[in-house]
Amino acid sequence: MSEPLSNSTLTTVGTSAATSDPTLTTVSTSAATSDPTLTTVCTSATSTELDAVNSGDDDDTDDSDEDSSDDDDTDDSDEDSGDGYVTRTYQKFCYDLRNPHAQPLPPPPDFDAVKIIHSSAKPLFFDDDPVAQLDAVTKFATVLSMGSHDFIDEVLKVPNIVEQLWKFSAQNDYPELKEMALWALNNIAAGWCQHTRVVVASGGIPKLLKLCISKESLIVKMQAIWALGNIAVYSQKTKHQILELGATTLYPLVCMLKDTTTDKSLSSVIMFALLNFFRERIPSKLYFQLQPPISVLVSPTLVDILSMENTREELVLIALHMFACFLASGLYKKDVDKANMYAQIPKFLVHHPKWKEVPNYALLIIRDVDESNKQVLIDNQVLLGLKHLIEVEGLNKRGGDKFIRKGVCRAIANFTAGTSGQLQAVIDMKLISPLLDLTKSESDIKEVAACVIYNVTRGSSEQMMSLPGKESIEVLCELLSSTDQKILESCLKGLDNLLANSAMAEIFFEMVDESVLDYGGVIDKLIALKKHDNTEIGDMAKKIEDKWIAH
């Protein structure tokens, strides 16, 4: 018996076992249908897709598995150039010391940043009066809070300015001075790469991590966590350093999110930082360095957040985002499974229609679920949630978000690749016809649809007859011109299975004879495929052509 196809089988070549290779693709062995040797290939979310959820883009390009940052932190580029630097749009200036949501205000007409910096430098270094020092640091911090990279350049021209700010940040007897110094350091870290580099080179990461969990004021914690979030997107190396040095720090941060008494401003800053810490998959070498792994510490707490009544949308988003990152990292999957996260996911497809981003993250997890957790999702009404997205959100009428449309289709494909009972559950929920309807306006969904059709044709005769005959045959025949071998194999196997059913075969022959399928086109495709380099494809094409000739 041929193997069932998940959506990723058609789009991913060269998958490798997660335990031996920390790529974003994982292979899970299934006891699906009646053949215990069958394997269903499932790919986890790529780093690009984690970013796409935030940006609204839809990019299916897999990232390289190499940790490409190495020791080179000299690139000042603003874009991800492939050497470990992440797009800078995830950094944020802090425009107000106490309000993380404040927007930038234009400087007064007579505002002279250079004059303020130079006039404040002397008391900053040489005045022993803490009041004068606070006044000087406040002026520096105010200039930096304007969000101007040119102003950061001017501040950094002052010799030893960063070291002096760190000195003030360690003065426990003058909390206002400490807060102002950290505010200034945070906004330096929010600048260009060369600005962030200065903060990192001054030993900023361990100093900030220590401040995150110490008995400091709300402002100190907020600025320290915010600065780490800015530093995390400087390079892969700095982000991994934060995770390595701060494994025990991240757990209390997540616990703060769970605590309903946590200040909302602090919660917002924690979520900003965590999103940057876990924006991409975590390499396996870091997993083994951290004992216990981060996922062991935080997964149960994240599940608690998802289980809370009246959970805020942003809390759900960060929990789902972190789980997607853990799953993309391969080795963390067992820690997520132990936390029973999958039982919580389906409800976020149905119960919160006003939460625009939540379904994106939920689908990122659901669409690539492995065999061991498919039934958990089905038992918790995931198929009802997918139907909700198709019908209520109008996805079958080209409505809603493209990322959601593709995510729903891929999730359906993955469930049809499961056991016979799981396939029947998809059929009973009437999810296949809406998916095929989408192919009329979404050409890139046709490959996923071919995967679904093939999986259904592997089922019982009754399950095969649940397919809309004409629409299914049209999709498979159109994709016979594909250059992707896996797509060709699924289409040819699907057609061969359909032709083994007398009712479906009659529909196919009538469509060809009546030119519904473009008589010459379909036959020409089969004739061309007989010469394919892959002999299995050639043999299947000849077999189907022979059946048409013999009818």
Side-chain angles (χ1 to χ4, degrees), residues 2-257:
S2 302
E3 66 178 57
L5 295 177
S6 70
N7 66 81
S8 51
T9 309
L10 298 179
T11 58
T12 304
V13 179
T15 56
S16 58
T19 53
S20 60
D21 186 352
T23 60
L24 291 182
T25 55
T26 60
V27 179
S28 54
T29 304
S30 168
T33 63
S34 58
D35 189 344
T37 65
L38 298 177
T39 58
T40 300
V41 182
C42 304
T43 60
S44 298
T46 66
S47 303
T48 305
E49 289 170 323
L50 290 175
D51 283 344
V53 175
N54 288 330
S55 64
D57 295 333
D58 185 32
D59 189 343
D60 290 332
T61 304
D62 282 352
D63 290 350
S64 169
D65 185 54
E66 298 297 325
D67 180 9
S68 53
S69 61
D70 296 325
D71 295 323
D72 183 8
D73 291 340
T74 60
D75 188 358
D76 295 338
S77 170
D78 228 6
E79 300 295 328
D80 185 352
S81 57
D83 57 0
Y85 290 91
V86 187
T87 176
R88 310 294 283 178
T89 55
Y90 303 117
Q91 289 184 303
K92 293 198 306 185
F93 284 100
C94 179
Y95 301 107
D96 187 292
L97 178 63
R98 291 172 174 78
N99 180 12
H101 304 292
Q103 297 300 309
L105 296 175
D110 57 346
F111 187 81
D112 189 336
V114 175
K115 182 178 179 180
I116 293 173
I117 291 169
H118 287 290
S119 64
S120 304
K122 185 174 180 179
L124 188 74
F125 286 93
F126 302 110
D127 201 320
D128 293 332
D129 180 9
V131 176
Q133 291 175 338
L134 177 61
D135 180 67
V137 174
T138 301
K139 289 178 180 178
F140 270 90
T142 302
V143 169
L144 291 167
S145 71
M146 298 293 176
S148 167
H149 298 91
D150 292 336
F151 290 175
I152 300 177
D153 285 334
E154 290 298 328
V155 168
L156 292 180
K157 288 178 182 177
V158 178
N160 301 316
I161 180 63
V162 171
E163 289 75 9
Q164 188 68 7
L165 291 173
W166 282 123
K167 179 181 176 181
F168 289 146
S169 73
Q171 292 193 4
N172 296 322
D173 54 344
Y174 205 161
E176 292 87 354
L177 185 60
K178 188 173 196 171
E179 293 170 357
M180 280 294 171
L182 284 168
W183 186 27
L185 288 164
N186 179 20
N187 279 325
I188 293 174
W192 297 132
C193 287
Q194 64 267 28
H195 304 145
T196 313
R197 184 185 301 124
V198 174
V199 178
V200 174
S202 64
I205 292 177
K207 293 174 183 176
L208 293 168
L209 284 169
K210 185 178 179 180
L211 291 170
C212 287
I213 57 174
S214 59
K215 295 181 179 179
E216 300 288 349
S217 69
L218 173 66
I219 300 299
V220 167
K221 286 185 178 180
M222 191 163 66
Q223 294 301 323
I225 296 168
W226 194 324
L228 286 170
N230 283 328
I231 290 172
V233 295
Y234 167 59
S235 72
Q236 294 280 12
K237 181 179 178 180
T238 55
K239 180 175 64 177
H240 295 164
Q241 186 180 0
I242 291 172
L243 295 178
E244 183 175 357
L245 296 177
T248 55
T249 303
L250 298 179
Y251 176 65
L253 292 186
V254 175
C255 288
M256 289 183 199
L257 292 182

